[in-house]
Amino acid sequence: MRCMPVIAMQATLEPVKITIFSIPRIALKAHLTELLTQAAKAVAPEQADLAIVLERPKSAEHGDFATNLAMMLARPLKQNPRAIAESLINALPASHYVAKTEIAGAGFINFFLSPAAKHAVVRDILSKGNDFGRHSHGQKRKVQVEFVSANPTGPLHVGHGRGAAVGDCLCRLLDATGWDVTREFYYNDAGAQIDNLTLSVQCRCKGLTPDDPAWPEDGYRGDYIVDVANAYMAKEKIDAEDKHVIGAGDPDNTAAIREFAVAYLRREQDLDLRAFDVHFDVYSLESALYTEGKVEKTVQQLIASGHTYEQDDALWLRTTKFGDDKDRVMRKREGGYTYFVPDVAYHVDKWQRGFTRVINEQGADHHSTITRVRAGLQALDIGIPQAWPDYVLHQMVTVMRGGEEVKLSKRAGSYVTLRDLIDEVGRDATRYFLAARRADSQLIFDIDLARAHTNDNPVYYIQYAHARICSVLEQWGGDTSILPDTALAPLTTTHELALLQRLAEYPKTVETAAQELAPHIIAYYLKDLAGDLHSYYNAQQFLVEDEAVKHARLALVFATRFVLQSGLQLLGVNAPEKM
RNA sequence: GCGGCAUUAGCUCAGCUGGAUAGAGCAACGGCCUUCUAAGCCGUAGGUCACACGUUCGAGUCGUGUAUGCCGCACCA
């Protein structure tokens, strides 16, 4: 059958009568590592410090765990790897958890776990419920995640949507791994873009259109500007997050227009985010950094640090000392500060609030700010680490509809907004599609696919797996509280073993996704898990006559349901009980 | 020109600290509903992992170079 593997059976296999309540995957791995360490000590005492690597083979034929230890020892021992592998296996202590070992390929040692070891994960899940897969590695340390941070100059577009989906999932992942997460949104409500917004609204108030010769060159041309202008002229009341503004109705009152327009658009963005089920703990305003004197204070400290200089009537920061390719202007010739100055002040504020870990999720088109902000923080010399804060950058989103690209252009106003997507394809599908790709690769959002209620659509595929389980449990009608104590010995088919294996990988998957700040790993895992469930479902009946078999299978799918729920929750996607 | 990201099946994309025969989904073709929801399953076909060198037992993965695409390179944000 298999191409010439040397099978070495363990001397003692029998007494698996031992009760295994819960063997986390990691403990199993540690157990095998210990066995190998002892074997290595016997075979190659000189190489005792060699790190033992155990990995999960891609193919089930290669067992549940494999090690390349024999290959690593081949060179120092000057022996054939397969011969070394045989010696290692002979020196391996017996274990209840190991059913079989074999040598394969160039000298891999494959481990096949006993059924009891594989079943353990079901008990583990059913005792922990939705907590299965959660870790406490974060030790309740504080982490702040800043994301979206759109300028209040227009509705959120798809790019912001990607930031919202990815950022929110990051928060959920960090929370699941034991961090104390603060979600923060930074509004750039000061500066030139807001002046431009104010001017654009004012022009609309006065009846100008973008086609008019008097229309400002960089003015915002979108129709939403008309809405803002109309609301202002109609003296509407805006209830924003932290203040209430009433339109003055006077086209010449620039200050009033500015305040109204910003409040109006902030409210719009808040509503969009709420519809996306994304919520923030803290909203920070750029304007507040000015009014509270934090910008000025930072500037004074930078000057005091000696890293600034005056040239051409402007104030410069010597960012080249901190890895930038050229120095940057801090205070412009006409007096105002450039954007990165309040941004540095903002990050000083974050640091002083005690966030030793900060993650900024933003579009890759803002990449250049990273060096500048970090340089400013380093120049202050207040003990901030060089690589602080962390950044997660997402690449551009291209929206496709009917096989054609829908162009994004904020200034032109003809772009797909986040709200458009939510309305058209639904919240779940939008969130899934925007979070299911690696952040640093460009994303093509296919509206037609996302809104398809067919098996093409991975969102429904996953949700359907969950709904199927719920349906089975409902038809069974029994009390699920008996399932955690069910004997699992009847679970022996390849479908069942595959599902058990997948479930056991969940905690590691969550940990990896959190560590790498990569929510898409969860999305892919869920697709695979749903696939295992669907295959199982089609291959075998769960509600069978034999009570022992039925209960064992129900325990397995019940456990699967918890993991599907937990994973979907990490993505912020619903787990419907019926579809 | 400089910097960042990318390049894997016809299309959209995975591929964990280097490991065994590179994987899904869609599209194509062929099967499965008197049985727990066919929003599902099973099978077939589809590849010079952009290219070239290098590192080593072993490279899609690491290094250097080249090509192509996107993004950035303001006294905008």
Side-chain angles (χ1 to χ4, degrees):
Chain A
M1 311 279 260
R2 245 177 252 112
C3 36
M4 49 181 264
V6 179
I7 308 277
M9 298 297 288
Q10 291 289 134
T12 47
L13 267 184
E14 269 323 295
V16 193
K17 191 76 189 89
I18 195 171
T19 318
I20 306 166
F21 283 109
S22 170
I23 310 171
R25 196 72 177 172
I26 292 151
L28 263 176
K29 203 168 174 178
H31 176 66
L32 294 180
T33 303
E34 176 56 29
L35 298 181
L36 280 168
T37 305
Q38 289 187 31
K41 213 174 283 177
V43 172
E46 316 287 304
Q47 309 295 326
D49 53 343
L50 199 63
I52 295 193
V53 178
L54 272 165
E55 55 195 21
R56 193 181 61 76
K58 286 173 191 166
S59 159
E61 285 178 34
H62 295 133
D64 300 299
F65 283 100
T67 183
N68 61 353
L69 183 58
M71 292 142 98
M72 302 292 286
L73 289 171
R75 176 177 271 205
L77 294 185
K78 291 176 184 164
Q79 281 182 52
N80 181 337
R82 290 184 68 101
I84 299 173
E86 203 166 343
S87 313
L88 284 171
I89 285 177
N90 288 333
L92 216 52
S95 165
H96 294 296
Y97 306 139
V98 179
K100 187 178 78 177
T101 54
E102 69 176 23
I103 303 172
F108 287 100
I109 299 174
N110 296 337
F111 290 88
F112 294 80
L113 298 178
S114 64
K118 293 185 178 184
H119 294 158
V121 66
V122 172
R123 298 215 189 290
D124 199 15
I125 295 169
L126 295 185
S127 70
K128 291 178 182 161
N130 281 327
D131 284 340
F132 177 73
R134 297 179 72 93
H135 302 282
S136 53
H137 298 169
Q139 300 169 309
K140 288 288 160 204
R141 278 171 292 172
K142 285 174 70 171
V143 58
Q144 186 222 51
V145 183
E146 182 204 323
F147 59 113
V148 185
S149 293
N151 296 345
T153 55
L156 300 175
H157 57 62
V158 196
H160 296 129
R162 190 176 192 182
V166 171
D168 187 55
C169 290
L170 285 178
C171 292
R172 289 165 188 257
L173 278 168
L174 290 166
D175 178 68
T177 47
W179 290 81
D180 177 10
V181 183
T182 297
R183 296 149 193 255
E184 189 146 332
F185 189 121
Y186 178 56
Y187 278 107
N188 298 124
D189 63 339
Q193 300 291 355
I194 300 299
D195 295 341
N196 190 8
L197 170 72
T198 308
L199 189 58
S200 304
V201 172
Q202 186 170 41
C203 286
R204 284 292 194 178
C205 288
K206 293 180 173 176
L208 289 178
T209 68
D211 300 326
D212 234 295
W215 186 265
E217 197 179 342
D218 294 328
Y220 292 104
R221 309 164 73 93
D223 289 344
Y224 63 88
I225 297 292
V226 182
D227 299 338
V228 179
N230 288 343
Y232 173 79
M233 295 307 285
K235 303 184 181 180
E236 268 182 36
K237 182 170 177 238
I238 305 297
D239 296 308
E241 196 71 32
D242 52 4
K243 65 164 140 182
H244 310 281
V245 178
I246 296 174
D250 174 6
D252 292 317
N253 188 341
T254 352
I257 292 175
R258 168 191 287 259
E259 190 182 24
F260 183 85
V262 168
Y264 184 101
L265 292 169
R266 275 188 62 190
R267 185 189 61 178
E268 291 293 294
Q269 295 184 352
D270 288 345
L271 290 174
D272 289 350
L273 290 166
R274 204 163 303 165
F276 207 38
D277 196 21
V278 170
H279 307 272
F280 291 88
D281 302 307
V282 177
Y283 292 86
S284 285
L285 301 183
E286 183 185 6
S287 58
L289 293 167
Y290 282 100
T291 55
E292 290 165 13
K294 289 176 180 168
V295 175
E296 194 52 40
K297 191 175 173 194
T298 299
V299 171
Q300 291 312 319
Q301 285 177 339
L302 283 170
I303 292 172
S305 77
H307 295 296
T308 63
Y309 60 92
E310 298 261 359
Q311 185 184 310
D312 302 333
D313 300 325
L315 180 66
W316 296 68
L317 181 66
R318 215 179 294 279
T319 54
T320 48
K321 266 194 94 168
F322 305 97
D324 207 349
D325 52 2
K326 62 193 219 186
D327 291 341
R328 305 291 168 176
V329 169
M330 290 173 59
R331 191 177 54 234
K332 296 178 262 186
R333 194 176 297 153
E334 32 82 6
Y337 293 115
T338 55
Y339 167 74
F340 89 97
V341 176
D343 210 2
V344 171
Y346 177 42
H347 281 85
V348 169
D349 184 60
K350 289 185 185 184
W351 179 257
Q352 288 172 344
R353 278 189 274 154
F355 292 109
T356 50
R357 187 175 188 201
V358 164
I359 299 164
N360 292 334
E361 204 289 351
Q362 59 187 45
D365 53 340
H366 287 62
H367 181 266
S368 59
T369 62
I370 297 177
T371 318
R372 258 170 263 183
V373 169
R374 284 184 180 160
L377 294 170
Q378 289 308 301
L380 286 169
D381 196 22
I382 51 175
I384 294 175
Q386 265 182 21
W388 188 94
D390 271 349
Y391 284 86
V392 172
L393 303 178
H394 63 260
Q395 294 288 332
M396 301 288 102
V397 180
T398 306
V399 179
M400 302 288 285
R401 179 193 272 125
E404 285 184 11
E405 180 178 348
V406 184
K407 279 282 182 191
L408 303 174
S409 170
K410 190 162 186 171
R411 286 168 189 272
S414 61
Y415 60 92
V416 181
T417 63
L418 174 59
R419 172 64 70 149
D420 289 337
L421 282 181
I422 297 171
D423 289 347
E424 196 167 343
V425 310
R427 198 194 78 193
D428 285 344
T430 305
R431 284 194 71 125
Y432 183 90
F433 273 68
L434 290 175
R437 296 268 184 271
R438 274 171 51 203
D440 57 9
S441 68
Q442 292 168 44
L443 166 63
I444 296 184
F445 193 109
D446 184 340
I447 290 184
D448 304 315
L449 176 61
R451 66 180 302 177
H453 285 224
T454 69
N455 57 356
D456 306 358
N457 193 332
V459 187
Y460 292 97
Y461 185 80
I462 298 165
Q463 291 181 321
Y464 186 41
H466 181 264
R468 269 187 154 168
I469 294 172
C470 294
S471 175
V472 168
L473 290 170
E474 193 186 332
Q475 285 175 58
W476 169 53
D479 182 357
T480 52
S481 67
I482 68 162
L483 295 178
D485 299 321
T486 298
L488 299 169
L491 302 178
T492 54
T493 66
T494 53
H495 287 104
E496 286 159 349
L497 294 178
L499 192 49
L500 287 164
Q501 166 89 14
R502 189 80 66 188
L503 293 173
E505 285 164 17
Y506 184 63
K508 174 72 181 164
T509 304
V510 173
E511 192 185 359
T512 304
Q515 213 160 40
E516 297 186 11
L517 304 176
H520 77 276
I521 291 176
I522 300 297
Y524 275 88
Y525 173 84
L526 286 176
K527 225 162 90 172
D528 290 339
L529 177 59
D532 291 334
L533 188 277
H534 286 310
S535 294
Y536 183 31
Y537 181 95
N538 276 274
Q540 281 163 281
Q541 188 89 9
F542 304 155
L543 300 176
V544 292
E545 290 290 322
D546 187 322
E547 291 283 307
V549 174
K550 180 168 75 183
H551 287 161
R553 290 181 177 171
L554 287 172
L556 175 56
V557 297
F558 190 41
T560 304
R561 186 192 156 180
F562 277 116
V563 176
L564 282 168
Q565 253 178 0
S566 164
L568 285 169
Q569 192 273 331
L570 285 175
L571 294 179
V573 174
N574 280 304
E577 297 188 7
K578 277 193 169 46
M579 288 177 75

